[in-house]
Amino acid sequence: MEAPVSFDKASVVRADWYRSLSKYEKPDVKKAVGQLLDTMLPFFGLWALMIWMINQGYSYWLLLPPLVLASGLLVRIFIFFHDCGHGSFLPSKKWNTFLGYLTGIITYTPYEEWRLSHAEHHASVGNLDERGHGDIWTLTIDEYKSAPWYTKVAFRVYRNPFVMFIIGPLVMFMILQRFASKNAQPRERRSVYITNVALVALWVTMHYTIGLKTYLMIQVPIMMISGTLGVWLFYIQHQYEDVYWQRHDEWDPIKAALEGSSYYKLPGWLQWFTGNIGLHHIHHLRPRIPNYTLQQVFDEVPELQNIEPISIWKSFKSLFLHLWDEKKQELVGFRALKTQTE
């Protein structure tokens, strides 16, 4: 039996396998265009089908299958948007930016604002002293105990699955992302304005073509379903029992990537819809590897297979994990508070 691989920064950055990962960071135009075609064409085709069904008076319930399918495709489109933000989808910075803005309009997400927030997330993941940059709100047990009652209530509401995965995504994508963060720089703020103007133009166009009611009958459920799926994916990528968290002085970016980012093992068809983002430990280790190359990297680099995968069934356990226990170095549920007081 092989000895376990050490994932500390010093040993990994010296390893041949780590240095070899740079060869996978080259975007491939053919693969990128192929992904755009196999996703965008069915997505807009489903839109056309659903518009026709509504105009023909079909029962709204019959729209459920194409709505779910279109929602899955929108999650995949968001992965393209995500890769553009890392400069990894296409070789050209100009075309990554153009496609980032375009897919940002489709996903109701301002490109530059999100790109900066996501870069901060990558730079701080697993760092207890740098929380709050595009991540899931997480408190330590001691922080929760010492927090005022209103913060405890807010935290419990935020962590409620119905709020986090049903209400939260719709509010975030439809409302909150219409406003720039208070610390946004001119470029990020401008991207919010451009996206909002484009969305207003889209809404006006829909009003005078298919009708605003028809548009909303399709768009709102797609945003709800895809938002729920997207937030769940992001949640399970960094919220699981033995996830890595450390204070800044002891924080190791390599461990944060490989032990603080999950390998969410999904069936092939779900892996396709989610753009291989379940291989999140590889993505955080080398963010400039395109989504369409992640599986190849996993297959060809044995050291990256030494991560315990999280199955779909096992991932649901994370719904009951809310607080970081610094003593045990694990994510625990609210029940741990009762255990500690006994």
Side-chain angles (χ1 to χ4, degrees):
M1 183 176 180
E2 295 183 2
V5 178
S6 174
F7 287 134
D8 64 276
K9 183 178 180 180
S11 65
V12 169
V13 297
R14 290 197 303 265
D16 290 338
W17 66 265
Y18 177 77
R19 292 196 292 269
S20 73
L21 295 179
S22 61
K23 69 182 180 183
Y24 297 103
E25 294 180 333
K26 298 178 177 63
D28 187 312
V29 174
K30 289 184 179 180
K31 290 181 179 179
V33 171
Q35 285 196 322
L36 290 172
L37 291 176
D38 69 24
T39 305
M40 294 293 197
L41 292 180
F43 179 74
F44 289 114
L46 286 167
W47 261 90
L49 172 63
M50 289 184 284
I51 292 169
W52 178 81
M53 291 176 69
I54 291 173
N55 290 337
Q56 293 297 313
Y58 281 86
S59 168
Y60 191 64
W61 289 105
L62 293 178
L63 265 70
L64 186 59
L67 281 171
V68 171
L69 188 55
S71 299
L73 291 171
L74 189 60
V75 171
R76 184 168 163 85
I77 291 171
F78 192 89
I79 299 300
F80 305 162
F81 166 86
H82 164 272
D83 275 15
C84 288
H86 283 291
S88 63
F89 193 68
L90 293 162
S92 164
K93 180 180 179 181
K94 178 180 68 175
W95 281 105
N96 274 317
T97 300
F98 173 78
L99 185 61
Y101 270 90
L102 180 61
T103 52
I105 294 167
I106 296 173
T107 58
Y108 278 54
T109 306
Y111 175 68
E112 298 288 0
E113 171 86 347
W114 181 90
R115 187 173 73 91
L116 178 61
S117 173
H118 192 64
E120 292 173 340
H121 160 70
H122 270 264
S124 61
V125 66
N127 189 328
L128 279 172
D129 296 318
E130 296 292 339
R131 283 166 288 168
H133 300 291
D135 55 8
I136 301 294
W137 185 16
T138 305
L139 294 176
T140 68
I141 288 179
D142 290 339
E143 288 169 344
Y144 180 86
K145 285 182 176 180
S146 61
W149 68 268
Y150 50 85
T151 299
K152 292 178 180 178
V153 171
F155 185 73
R156 283 182 176 267
V157 170
Y158 174 89
R159 282 281 182 163
N160 182 282
F162 182 76
V163 173
M164 181 172 288
F165 301 112
I166 305 299
I167 299 176
L170 194 61
V171 171
M172 180 179 69
F173 283 100
M174 300 290 285
I175 300 175
L176 297 182
Q177 292 192 155
R178 308 284 65 78
F179 304 93
S181 61
K182 63 180 181 179
N183 296 322
Q185 298 300 308
R187 182 172 64 177
E188 286 73 39
R189 196 174 297 276
R190 188 164 54 247
S191 78
V192 176
Y193 298 153
I194 291 172
T195 302
N196 288 347
V197 169
L199 288 174
V200 170
L202 175 63
W203 281 50
V204 171
T205 301
M206 294 298 101
H207 173 71
Y208 286 106
T209 53
I210 65 174
L212 194 57
K213 179 181 178 181
T214 298
Y215 173 73
L216 292 176
M217 288 174 68
I218 299 171
Q219 180 67 19
V220 172
I222 286 179
M223 292 298 290
M224 288 181 66
I225 299 169
S226 62
T228 295
L229 294 173
V231 171
W232 169 253
L233 283 171
F234 184 75
Y235 179 86
I236 199 61
Q237 286 161 2
H238 303 289
Q239 297 282 314
Y240 49 96
E241 190 171 23
D242 53 352
V243 67
Y244 174 90
W245 284 97
Q246 283 292 343
R247 292 293 175 182
H248 183 73
D249 291 343
E250 299 179 359
W251 180 72
D252 184 326
I254 297 295
K255 283 182 174 290
L258 292 171
E259 299 175 15
S261 306
S262 66
Y263 165 29
Y264 196 23
K265 192 171 184 178
L266 299 171
W269 64 277
L270 274 179
Q271 190 169 333
W272 184 88
F273 276 105
T274 57
N276 299 312
I277 203 64
L279 295 162
H280 210 60
H281 61 301
I282 302 176
H283 170 64
H284 265 265
L285 186 64
R286 300 298 282 256
R288 289 187 62 83
I289 296 176
N291 81 86
Y292 44 75
T293 311
L294 288 173
Q295 184 61 54
Q296 178 187 352
V297 176
F298 181 83
D299 293 340
E300 295 180 0
V301 182
E303 289 79 3
L304 294 173
Q305 301 167 17
N306 202 34
I307 301 292
E308 183 179 355
I310 297 177
S311 65
I312 292 178
W313 178 254
K314 184 180 178 181
S315 68
F316 290 120
K317 182 180 180 180
S318 294
L319 288 172
F320 307 99
L321 304 175
H322 316 97
L323 300 163
W324 178 250
D325 188 326
E326 290 194 78
K327 295 178 181 178
K328 294 183 178 180
Q329 289 289 292
E330 63 182 14
L331 207 61
V332 297
F334 288 124
R335 291 182 179 179
L337 295 169
K338 183 179 179 181
T339 302
Q340 286 199 359
T341 57
E342 291 177 349

